[in-house]
Amino acid sequence: MSEDNTELKPWGYFTVLADDADHKVKRIVVHPGHRLSLQRHMRRAEHWHAVSGQAIVIREEEEIAFSAGQSMDIPQGAWHRVQNEEDSPFVFIEVQTGAYFGEDDIERREDDYGRV
């Protein structure tokens, strides 16, 4: 894991594995007891593949159990969140596709860390 491509977050961290004009790929680790913002993206969609651990995903009005070996899609504009209620890290790969992949394409509705 290259430190140059890793960004620490209050809920864990992510490492950028690929950043090209037509897609971006991240390896995301969510620490036990933490969750990401309830958020959406207006310029990209995401495809997630769970690598290890278990989490709960909120996607629009759905609450979905998500565990190693499973995949799911997050449509552009859909409210979503990953929460790790387990005792071990939750790791997943995120493939972003769309028109823009910058971190400023995050609209937060709820956040445990004061970033709304």
Side-chain angles (χ1 to χ4, degrees), residues 1-111:
M1 180 167 60
S2 169
E3 290 181 27
D4 293 342
N5 295 329
T6 298
E7 187 169 330
L8 299 178
K9 296 292 188 179
W11 44 260
Y13 59 93
F14 67 82
T15 303
V16 176
L17 304 176
D19 191 355
D20 292 308
D22 60 349
H23 72 284
K24 187 173 194 173
V25 180
K26 293 180 179 177
R27 179 181 184 272
I28 300 174
V29 178
V30 183
H31 293 316
H34 289 269
R35 63 186 185 171
L36 283 66
S37 304
L38 182 60
Q39 60 187 271
R40 67 180 174 182
H41 313 287
M42 301 312 292
R43 300 178 68 188
R44 69 177 184 245
E46 297 173 347
H47 176 78
W48 295 348
H49 182 80
V51 174
S52 63
Q54 298 179 22
I56 301 295
V57 172
I58 305 300
R59 183 178 61 191
E60 292 292 339
E61 303 301 321
E62 298 177 274
E63 186 172 302
I64 305 160
F66 192 41
S67 58
Q70 296 180 316
S71 296
M72 77 169 57
D73 291 312
I74 307 298
Q76 183 173 319
W79 289 103
H80 61 281
R81 149 183 277 160
V82 176
Q83 49 195 54
N84 182 357
E85 299 174 354
E86 302 298 318
D87 294 329
S88 59
F90 177 68
V91 180
F92 66 106
I93 302 299
E94 175 182 276
V95 180
Q96 302 173 3
T97 56
Y100 179 73
F101 311 115
E103 290 299 299
D104 57 346
D105 184 35
I106 298 173
E107 179 185 346
R108 292 182 173 94
R109 189 163 72 189
E110 296 175 13
D111 183 69

